[in-house]
Amino acid sequence: MAKNLGRDVVKNVKSIASGNSINASDDIIKKRKQICQGCQFFNGAQDRCLKCGCFLAVKVYLKASSCPINTW
């Protein structure tokens, strides 16, 4: 879980340093949430991905973040 968090932090910092926005668009956020909620690794009680351990309430909003099983 810490490794995945670290990887996402690095990707997002690099993206910001390149002049990109930190936030994904509303459409992308909505699509990501729908994909996650239909995934076998989604824990609805905690709004968390059981594969990477991330809290989806944060992860889906970060533009440079990605799904650990490459669904988005």
Side-chain angles (χ1 to χ4, degrees):
M1 183 169 58
K3 184 167 86 170
N4 289 319
L5 174 62
R7 188 178 311 126
D8 267 2
V9 168
V10 169
K11 284 195 293 188
N12 280 284
V13 168
K14 285 182 180 180
S15 180
I16 294 166
S18 297
N20 297 315
S21 170
I22 191 167
N23 295 327
S25 71
D26 290 340
D27 287 339
I28 290 174
I29 292 166
K30 183 179 176 180
K31 288 177 187 174
R32 288 178 175 182
K33 285 181 179 181
Q34 288 174 339
I35 291 168
C36 290
Q37 289 169 347
C39 179
Q40 64 183 0
F41 296 109
F42 178 67
N43 179 326
Q46 295 181 346
D47 195 30
R48 193 172 190 167
C49 174
L50 298 176
K51 185 71 173 177
C52 67
C54 291
F55 290 99
L56 298 173
V58 176
K59 186 168 186 153
V60 296
Y61 288 91
L62 299 173
K63 186 175 184 175
S65 291
S66 60
C67 170
I69 59 170
N70 298 317
T71 59
W72 52 265

